[in-house]
Amino acid sequence: MSERSVFLFPGLGAYSPGALRRARRSHPQVDATFQEIDAAAVLAGAPPVSTTLFDGEPRSIRQLLAEPAEVLQLAIFGISVAVHRVLTERGARPHLLVGHSFGEMAALVAAGAFSLADGVTLVCARAAALRPWEGRGAMTAVGMDQESAGHVPGVLDEPELVVACLNAPRQTVLAGPPTALDRVERLAEVLDVPHARLHLPYASHHPTMRPAVADFVARMADARQLPLQAAVHSPVHGRRYTDDDDLKQALAECLVLPVRFTDTVRSLHSRGYTTYVESGALNTLTRCVEHTVPGVRTTAPLLDPEEEDAGLRAALTSVARPRATPIQAEEEPVPSHPAPAREPEPTDVRPAAAPPGLVPPPVGAAPDREHLVVELRALYAETLEYPPELLTEDALLEAELGVDSLKQTSLLGRVADRFGLPAGAAELPVWELPTLRHVADHVAAAKARR
């Protein structure tokens, strides 16, 4: 069986300050993509996103969360589509496209099932349909397998908790009321299980969101479904999409159905899919793939903001193949009728090393910095059981040292306790603290603000 390649389109956690700023200098597809998105966004009553991404200082995810929801979501959507355009217009020929939850919209646009302008309509429709649900639910990623996480609602007697996403063998996302997730996180602390609250204001993939499904479908009415030009597999519905599917209804059902990304990766790997490329910022999905089926080839072209061109070249090399009709080239069996949806998604689990959007340490913090780094190196080495010499000041914690985002979140909690940081100091998204140098600067700044 010949090797096959997959483009992965991540969900709402896939934002990195400064993403594509370097790549756009040599890849005109980036500006062309966002010009189309801006024009369609204005028609949909949403703000343009190009200035947010490319003008001034790179903005953190927390800053964008204070804007209308469409800004961050269109940014993530646009980054995914732009990466796909850059690679395919330079000869990349992936065999299959896979979107994770929110990422299914970008995957379907990349596959030609919707125009880019209609993709903007889909994103804005989803944001509007979910607006009434903001604040009523939340999601937490825990370092547990599916079976263990499935027992948590019963152990805590919280029947409104559900397993929303299965991202990797030991990365599961629970969704439900914020108070219930508070209890999940306290239990995780007692059990010394890594956990992280996701930066989402609602409980995606939860059955109580059912009323939002019809609203989402109604708001997508003007979007026109086109014939698929590439194969797209849904981790929510557990199969490839076909032109017989009502893709707008399928996308809407993703609001309430779980995402089984782990099952999808294992199934694809068994059929010879051995190369996976992150078509978006960071490496959320490729990291999950590595934990699920070790030994495959993965590429996350936008992981290092300083090396985007090199990352894109590496991705291009990994998926280049003779041109063929993508859907005909696929050998995966396609059911004649849509199968019942059955899966959970890798929503917004915290990615990895990404460019920071931190406030620099104030004047006066520098004299303690060397001591801070020494203490941090000792703390991280003890907790991770790593040789201290590996934990250099500029080593990328996830990309180079393999410290996943959940473990990094737990470590930040320990850092806050060790240094007596003010409340909230450990809540900074870990992808804004990719190295010990950034952690030290964050600690120095937090101590100075006390």
Side-chain angles (χ1 to χ4, degrees), residues 197-229:
R197 184 71 61 97
L198 305 187
H199 287 266
L200 285 176
Y202 37 71
S204 286
H205 311 290
H206 197 290
T208 58
M209 301 275 282
R210 174 59 61 180
V213 172
D215 188 13
F216 186 16
V217 171
R219 292 175 183 274
M220 288 189 282
D222 292 338
R224 178 186 172 208
Q225 182 175 329
L226 303 169
L228 286 157
Q229 301 300 310

Side-chain angles (χ1 to χ4, degrees), residues 144 147-159 161 174 180 183-184 186-188 190-191:
M144 294 180 175
E147 182 178 4
S148 300
H151 289 302
V152 170
V155 168
L156 296 178
D157 192 22
E158 292 283 1
L161 283 175
L174 295 169
R183 297 189 66 205
V184 170
R186 288 196 293 271
L187 175 64
V190 171
L191 299 176

Side-chain angles (χ1 to χ4, degrees), residues 148-314:
S148 300
H151 289 302
V152 170
V155 168
L156 296 178
D157 192 22
E158 292 283 1
E160 292 188 62
L161 283 175
V162 302
V163 173
C165 305
L166 302 173
N167 294 337
R170 293 192 61 81
Q171 187 182 100
T172 304
V173 179
L174 295 169
T179 52
L181 291 172
D182 289 342
R183 297 189 66 205
V184 170
E185 291 162 9
R186 288 196 293 271
L187 175 64
E189 289 286 347
V190 171
L191 299 176
D192 196 24
V193 170
H195 61 88
R197 184 71 61 97
L198 305 187
H199 287 266
L200 285 176
Y202 37 71
S204 286
H205 311 290
H206 197 290
T208 58
M209 301 275 282
R210 174 59 61 180
V213 172
D215 188 13
F216 186 16
V217 171
R219 292 175 183 274
M220 288 189 282
D222 292 338
R224 178 186 172 208
Q225 182 175 329
L226 303 169
L228 286 157
Q229 301 300 310
V232 179
H233 183 103
S234 168
V236 172
H237 297 289
R239 61 178 179 82
R240 272 180 52 192
Y241 285 132
T242 76
D243 288 329
D244 292 331
D245 288 319
D246 181 342
L247 294 177
K248 290 184 282 187
Q249 183 67 41
L251 287 171
E253 292 289 334
C254 290
L255 297 179
V256 296
L257 298 173
V259 183
R260 296 188 178 275
F261 188 70
T262 310
D263 292 350
T264 292
V265 171
R266 285 173 174 156
S267 176
L268 295 179
H269 183 253
S270 72
R271 296 202 297 275
Y273 292 90
T274 56
T275 299
Y276 297 81
V277 173
E278 191 105 7
S279 189
L282 304 171
N283 66 342
T284 308
L285 298 185
T286 48
R287 191 68 174 163
C288 289
V289 169
E290 291 166 359
H291 286 307
T292 304
V293 284
V296 296
R297 178 162 51 165
T298 62
T299 306
L302 301 189
L303 179 57
D304 186 343
E306 301 298 319
E307 299 291 340
E308 288 184 341
D309 284 329
L312 290 166
R313 285 195 299 271

Side-chain angles (χ1 to χ4, degrees), residues 362-376:
V363 176
D368 296 329
R369 192 176 178 289
E370 184 175 349
H371 180 67
L372 277 175
V373 171
V374 170
E375 283 200 65
L376 287 169

Side-chain angles (χ1 to χ4, degrees), residues 133-152:
W133 300 87
E134 293 181 5
R136 296 164 60 179
M139 306 180 79
T140 291
V142 291
M144 294 180 175
D145 59 29
Q146 177 182 356
E147 182 178 4
S148 300
H151 289 302
V152 170

